[in-house]
């Protein structure tokens, strides 16, 4: 008799790798979608939508990411405290000056699940506005966004 049970991957048996993405002169959305795929684990053959089997991702030079068209001046970020009249809006240029990693963080977060798994996956991404980062000991593997494919 052959054992025909479905094998499910769990976070305990998956080996996690570290990847680094240089966002300078790359489109922000392309970098974010590549990071989301790596965080989710969709590039692995053992992908399971309910398990945290993705890898760690380091994104450097987040403030040097480019936007196509006129989005640099026209793209707006909104926040609201919940009180009447408290809507605050800010365009991309001023937001990057104030918080250089926030637009990349927001783009990656928007491409992940909106549940506790998505919140856990966001702890596996490390964002830095310049080239220095404290993760050299993990020996991250460089990923080129333009040539990245899932499998």
């Amino acid at each position: 008799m052959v054992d025909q049970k479905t094998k499910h991957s769990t976070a305990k048996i998956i080996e996690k790798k570290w990847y680094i993405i240089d966002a300078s002169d790359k489109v922000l959305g392309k970098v974010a979608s590549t990071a989301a795929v790596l965080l989710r684990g969709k590039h692995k053959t053992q992908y399971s939508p309910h398990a945290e089997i993705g890898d760690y991702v380091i994104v450097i030079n987040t403030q040097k990411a480019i936007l196509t068209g006129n989005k640099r001046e026209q793209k707006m970020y909104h926040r609201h405290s919940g009180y009447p009249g408290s809507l605050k809006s800010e365009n991309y240029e001023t937001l990057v000056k104030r918080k250089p990693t926030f637009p990349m963080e927001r783009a990656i977060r928007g491409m992940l699940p909106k549940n506790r798994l998505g919140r856990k996956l966001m702890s596996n991404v490390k964002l830095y506005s310049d080239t220095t980062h404290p993760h050299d000991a993990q020996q991250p593997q460089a990923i080129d966004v333009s040539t990245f494919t899932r499998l």
Side-chain angles (χ1 to χ4, degrees):
M1 196 76 170
V2 178
D3 184 26
Q4 295 184 351
K5 295 193 177 196
T6 303
K7 305 280 192 236
H8 287 285
S9 299
T10 61
K12 295 176 185 171
I13 62 172
I14 298 295
E15 180 184 334
K16 294 189 171 199
K17 295 181 181 176
W18 283 76
Y19 293 104
I20 187 165
I21 300 174
D22 188 1
S24 60
D25 300 326
K26 304 282 191 308
V27 179
L28 181 129
K30 185 74 172 168
V31 172
S33 65
T34 303
V37 166
L38 292 170
L39 286 169
R40 203 67 210 275
K42 286 190 164 188
H43 63 291
K44 296 182 177 183
T45 56
Q46 306 94 350
Y47 171 70
S48 228
H50 59 83
E52 183 212 344
I53 62 168
D55 297 316
Y56 295 97
V57 178
I58 305 164
V59 182
I60 57 173
N61 294 323
T62 57
Q63 66 183 1
K64 295 179 184 174
I66 60 172
L67 297 174
T68 58
N70 294 329
K71 291 185 205 125
R72 194 172 236 347
E73 300 87 22
Q74 294 177 354
K75 184 171 180 62
M76 300 298 287
Y77 289 88
H78 308 287
R79 64 184 190 275
H80 196 281
S81 70
Y83 287 100
S86 65
L87 177 69
K88 306 277 191 233
S89 297
E90 196 172 10
N91 71 353
Y92 178 82
E93 283 185 325
T94 58
L95 182 64
V96 166
K97 288 176 187 169
R98 195 168 59 85
K99 292 181 175 179
T101 61
F102 185 76
M104 185 68 70
E105 177 186 346
R106 178 110 177 245
I108 294 171
R109 185 182 302 273
M111 296 179 189
L112 293 176
K114 311 319 187 256
N115 53 25
R116 68 181 87 161
L117 176 63
R119 291 187 293 275
K120 173 67 179 102
L121 292 176
M122 273 310 288
S123 68
N124 294 343
V125 64
K126 313 297 181 195
L127 302 169
Y128 299 99
S129 60
D130 55 353
T131 57
T132 59
H133 62 87
H135 305 288
D136 288 328
Q138 283 75 22
Q139 299 171 346
Q141 178 183 351
I143 293 285
D144 186 19
V145 176
S146 58
T147 60
F148 177 75
T149 57
R150 283 190 187 180
L151 291 175

